[in-house]
Each structure stands twice: as C-alpha cells, then as structure tokens.
C-alpha cells in the first residue's frame, strides 16, 4: 500500500478522486454484488462546472474500485452543459441512471437516462429527454429519485413553484419508460427548522426513506439567491399519493453537509452518503486543486418516534487499526489522554459529577496549543457544542460554533470520526453533525479532556484508521494489476 497523500487535508477514509471538484452523491445502487457510488464531478478543475458523473464501486464498503467516468455531457445534446444530479436503479441485468439534463439555454433541468449492461463500467445515454416538460407553475425542476414500491416504479423530482412553495413532485410508471405525473408528493412554503434557518423556497435532491407504512422525506433546501442551504427531513406517511408530514427537522446539525442520497442495500438496510463542501476561501481551494468529499456511508433507519437515525456503516469498524487512546478517569481541570493520527475513530462518554459542570474534549493540532477543535457540553441547554474558531491557524479557513442536542442530567455518549479535514459526530439518538476544518500542525495530535465548574468523569477510546483500499478498473471493468493504493490519491 502506498504512502498517504502529500496534501494533509485530503481524506484517507472518505471517498473522492485525487483532484478536482466533486459535489452531490448520485446513482447510488446495489447491483451484481457491488455498491455503486457516483457523484457530481468536474474532471477539469476544482470549481463547479462541466458536470460529469464520477464512479466508484465496492463489494464490501472497504475495498473500492475507481471506474471510468459514468456520464459525460453530449456536445449539442440534451445534457450538453452538464449531467446533473439523480439516482440509479438495478433492474435485472441492467442499471439505469436517471439524471438532470443541464443546458444553459433553458431554466429547467428535465429528466433523462443512461443505461449500463456491464455492472457500471460503461453507460449508454438515451439521447433524448424522458420527461420533456415540467408541470405548469414550476419555477425550478431537477434531481430525479426513482424507486420500486408495491409493484410499480415511482419518481420524485425536486422543484420550486410559482406560489412560493417548495415541492417534491411524484411520477409513476409500469415500465421505467412511460411516466404519469401524479402531483406534488409534498409541497410547503418555508417553515422554521432551526434558529435562523428554514426549509427553503425550493427542494433539491429529494430522497424517500420508507418502511412498514412509515416514511421520511429527505430534502435539500435551496434558495434562488443564496443557493444550497441545508438538509431537512419530514417524517410522516403516505395517503392517496400525498405525503402527510410532521414538523420538519435538520437531518445534520453541521454547516458542511448537503445533498445526501440513499442506497437501498441488501437485507432491508438503507445506506446514505452526503456531500461535505469546503469551508475555506476560494483561493485556497484553487491552490489545493480539489474541492468536496463524500461523507462516510451511514446506516439510516426510521426510529420509533419518526426521526431518522444515522450511524456509521458497521463495515467501517474494519478500518480501525491500532488503538491509540484508552482512558477512564475524572478531572476538574485538564487531562492529556494520548495522541492520535490525522484519521481516527473515537468513542467517548462524558459524565458531569455536579450540576453546572462544563467541559469536553479538545483535539490539539499545533505544538503551541494555539490550534484546536473543541467538543464540549453546554450544561444549560444539554447540547454538544463543536467549536472550530481556533481549528486552523490559516486565516482562509472558516470558523463558527455549532450545536447538536444531546442529553441533560445523564452521561453523554458520542462517536467522532476525524479524517484530516472533516469531522463527523454521531450521537446515540441518531443525530449527527458534520463539519470541515483545516489543521496546519502535523500529527500526532494530543487528545485532552477539559472540565470547568466541577468534576467531569470520562471514558475515551480512540483508534487510528487505515485508509480505504482503492483499485482502478480498466475500460473492460477488469481490475488493474496495480497493488492497493490506499485512499483515492496517488
């Protein structure tokens, strides 16, 4: 296995190509014994332009192959200016990708398809539009999501409407070719979803998680002036082709998570990947030559209360290498627990001994203790607070403090996966918080527990992570003779 990448911020256990721009996960499907993960990809540079579909596949979520580009714009065709977001389905011996055909000379991104008969190695575009015209009164239209349910094919398309409602529009088909418009599956004007945040004027990338008559509609909130904003989820159930929704909630409480996509996996399991965008200034992105990454694969489920529960896919435990930290004690000040590498998986329990005790974990990433990421308890609100204001000494990195509800009056448990420039926080409730940060100090990095206002009991375990194995397939789909090359970087 080769050395890790020279760029200290390129991830080792998060999927992305070695350079250039990526955004939304697309085309997620399980087919012919493989998990397929496509994504929006600009093969020419680190900016959002020239959209193709990049493509990885894996038999086990641990060993990956980078396949040839799945979809590329057709000069003069319906997708001449970009193959935008969508999904894919497995239908017998073929895979069919449904995606948004982008052209600069029209406002809508109508649905078209491409087909693969060789397990995703090559794709043939249909060359025409599947659904040529959006419904009347639509002002934004994009991002099909197709699934099979009760013996029929169904499709949601994200949209905005002239009446000020965001909407997920429903279509149905018997054969994946002839589609009948059924109307809005859910539509709603902007609703508050968090302090200073709402559900948006338009919805991108609709996804539908459903089981046992219950469902959760996952939507990416879009604003016509400010663009992508956040991801929201509506729990509820379907009645006569309409989704009857409860109040909306955030799917992820961090600032750097958007456009998640679902993959219905074997044995009734659902997996989800999201896009984590950059949180640094554009000139740094251009200098680095890459932007964006996909989150870890998450197992998602509908909790009894209707919320969506998320946790890292079980397979990722196999990426744990040597145990780096094991500590159980109590402190009323600062305790240094040990050091971790730049990619690690950590579990923690924090237990305030007295009311009003604050504190938490600090990941120190500079020798002078001037650069650090804090995860702390707020005893007044019962929230975990992730503070990246001091997480990079480079002024081009973005700051901010972000909160996720935890527990009050009880020990607080969480799992934290850090991979060079991304942190994913998971709580037992199924809530998550994803953010990017850019340490300038080289690993190993000390882990500290800090307490204020009383004693804080703690149990912390951390494992360094080995990178994904990544192979490249040739145009025939055969594996190359190259050895495993670690993550997707040279």
């Amino acid at each position: 296995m080769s050395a890790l990448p020279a760029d200290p911020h390129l991830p080792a256990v998060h999927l992305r190509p070695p350079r250039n721009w990526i955004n939304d996960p697309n085309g997620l499907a399980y087919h012919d014994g493989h998990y397929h993960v496509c994504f929006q990809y600009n093969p020419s540079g680190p900016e959002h332009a020239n959209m193709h579909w990049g493509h990885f596949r894996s038999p086990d979520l641990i060993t990956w192959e980078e396949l040839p580009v799945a979809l590329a714009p057709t000069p003069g065709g319906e997708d001449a200016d970009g193959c935008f977001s969508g999904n894919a389905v497995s239908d017998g011996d073929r895979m069919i990708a449904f995606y948004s055909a982008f052209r600069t000379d029209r406002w809508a991104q109508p649905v078209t398809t491409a087909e693969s008969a060789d397990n995703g190695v090559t794709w043939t575009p249909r060359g025409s539009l599947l659904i040529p015209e959006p419904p009347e009164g639509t002002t934004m239209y994009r991002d099909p999501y197709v699934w099979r349910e009760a013996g029929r094919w169904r499709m949601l398309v994200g949209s905005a409407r002239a009446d000020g409602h965001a909407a997920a529009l429903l279509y149905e088909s018997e054969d994946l070719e002839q589609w009948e418009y059924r109307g809005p599956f859910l539509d709603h004007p902007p609703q508050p979803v968090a302090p200073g945040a709402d559900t948006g004027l338009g919805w991108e990338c609709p996804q539908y998680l459903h089981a046992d008559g219950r469902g959760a509609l996952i939507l990416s909130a879009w604003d016509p002036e400010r663009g992508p904003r956040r991801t929201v989820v509506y729990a509820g159930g379907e009645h006569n082709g309409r989704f009857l929704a409860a109040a909306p909630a955030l799917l992820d409480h961090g600032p750097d998570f958007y456009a998640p996509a679902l993959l219905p996996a074997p044995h009734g399991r659902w997996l989800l990947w999201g896009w984590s965008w950059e949180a640094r200034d554009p000139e740094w992105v251009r200098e680095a030559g890459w932007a964006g990454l996909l989150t870890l694969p998450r197992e998602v489920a509908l909790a009894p209360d209707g919320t969506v529960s998320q946790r890292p896919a079980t397979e990722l435990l196999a990426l744990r290498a040597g145990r780096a930290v094991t500590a159980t004690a109590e402190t009323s000040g600062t305790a240094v627990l040990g050091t971790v590498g730049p990619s690690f998986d950590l579990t923690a329990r924090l237990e305030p001994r007295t009311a009003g005790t604050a504190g938490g974990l600090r990941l120190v990433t500079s020798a002078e203790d001037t650069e650090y990421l804090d995860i702390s308890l707020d005893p007044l609100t019962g929230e975990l607070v992730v503070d990246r204001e001091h997480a990079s000494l480079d002024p081009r990195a973005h700051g901010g403090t972000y909160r996720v509800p935890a527990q009050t009056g009880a020990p607080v448990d969480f799992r934290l996966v850090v991979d060079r420039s991304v942190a994913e926080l998971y709580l037992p409730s199924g809530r998550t918080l994803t953010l990017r940060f850019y340490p300038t100090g080289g690993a190993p990095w000390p882990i500290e527990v800090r307490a204020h206002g009383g004693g804080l009991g703690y149990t912390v375990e951390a494992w360094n992570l080995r990178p994904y194995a990544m192979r490249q397939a040739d145009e025939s789909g055969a594996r190359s003779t190259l050895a495993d090359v670690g993550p997707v970087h040279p």
Side-chain angles (χ1 to χ4, degrees), residues 89-152:
V89 298
S90 174
D91 181 42
D93 61 359
R94 63 178 182 162
M95 296 175 66
I96 304 174
F98 295 79
Y99 66 99
S100 301
F102 177 60
R103 286 175 52 140
T104 57
D105 60 359
R106 63 183 174 216
W107 64 267
Q109 297 171 20
V111 180
T112 188
T113 66
E115 185 172 324
S116 175
D118 56 7
N119 198 14
V121 177
T122 61
W123 295 80
T124 303
R126 73 185 294 120
S128 61
L129 295 177
L130 180 68
I131 301 176
E133 295 294 334
E136 186 177 352
T138 304
T139 59
M140 182 267 275
Y141 185 85
R142 63 185 69 144
D143 307 338
Y145 173 74
V146 177
W147 77 102
R148 189 163 179 82
E149 183 181 9
R152 58 187 168 171

Side-chain angles (χ1 to χ4, degrees), residues 70-94:
L71 304 180
T74 303
E78 296 291 352
D79 58 5
D81 298 306
C83 301
F84 276 24
S85 291
N87 82 325
V89 298
S90 174
D91 181 42
D93 61 359
R94 63 178 182 162

Side-chain angles (χ1 to χ4, degrees), residues 330-337 350-352 357-364 368-377 446-458 460:
E330 178 179 337
T331 185
S332 56
T334 298
V336 180
L337 309 185
L350 303 177
E351 188 169 5
T357 298
L361 292 187
R362 172 170 289 184
L363 174 66
V364 181
E368 298 79 19
D369 294 345
T370 53
E371 184 180 82
Y372 49 85
L373 180 73
D374 277 339
I375 301 174
S376 57
L377 294 169
I447 296 282
E448 301 176 352
V449 173
R450 292 175 166 244
H452 314 281
L456 181 66
Y458 60 86
V460 177

Side-chain angles (χ1 to χ4, degrees), residues 275-484:
W275 165 37
S276 189
W277 49 44
E278 297 301 311
R280 50 182 170 173
D281 289 351
E283 66 268 17
W284 194 0
V285 171
R286 289 191 293 270
E287 179 183 303
W290 64 277
L293 54 84
L294 300 186
T295 66
L296 297 174
R298 301 177 179 184
E299 296 179 12
V300 294
L302 289 169
D305 63 358
T307 59
V308 173
S309 174
Q310 304 175 70
R311 66 177 186 179
T314 303
E315 288 89 339
L316 300 184
L317 293 173
L319 295 178
R320 288 178 174 177
R323 191 186 299 264
V325 172
T326 301
T328 300
E330 178 179 337
T331 185
S332 56
T334 298
V336 180
L337 309 185
T339 60
V340 292
S343 299
F344 65 89
D345 186 352
L346 176 149
T347 61
R349 166 168 285 196
L350 303 177
E351 188 169 5
R353 300 304 193 200
T354 57
T357 298
L361 292 187
R362 172 170 289 184
L363 174 66
V364 181
T365 57
S366 70
E368 298 79 19
D369 294 345
T370 53
E371 184 180 82
Y372 49 85
L373 180 73
D374 277 339
I375 301 174
S376 57
L377 294 169
D378 184 331
L380 298 179
T381 65
E383 296 171 309
L384 274 176
V385 182
V386 183
D387 184 348
R388 68 177 181 193
E389 283 292 335
H390 304 279
S392 180
L393 295 177
D394 194 309
R396 297 172 296 176
H398 300 174
T401 300
Y402 304 93
R403 295 171 173 264
V404 57
Q407 290 177 284
T408 56
V412 173
D413 297 293
F414 62 86
R415 182 175 173 185
L416 174 70
V417 181
V418 167
D419 186 16
R420 295 174 160 242
S421 65
V422 59
E424 296 188 39
L425 180 69
Y426 297 85
L427 275 68
S429 63
R431 295 184 177 99
T432 61
L433 188 154
T434 303
L435 57 68
R436 305 293 304 280
F437 71 114
Y438 305 90
T440 63
W445 297 330
I447 296 282
E448 301 176 352
V449 173
R450 292 175 166 244
H452 314 281
L456 181 66
Y458 60 86
T459 297
V460 177
E461 294 184 279
W463 297 260
N464 289 323
L465 293 174
R466 64 179 181 84
Y468 283 132
M470 178 63 69
R471 292 185 172 94
Q472 290 186 332
D474 62 24
E475 292 294 335
S476 69
R479 287 184 176 179
S480 70
T481 58
L482 295 176
D484 292 351

Side-chain angles (χ1 to χ4, degrees), residues 244-270:
L244 305 181
L250 291 174
L251 184 68
D252 187 281
H253 292 258
D256 304 318
F257 178 91
Y258 194 73
L262 290 170
L263 188 157
H267 311 298
R269 184 171 67 151
W270 291 83

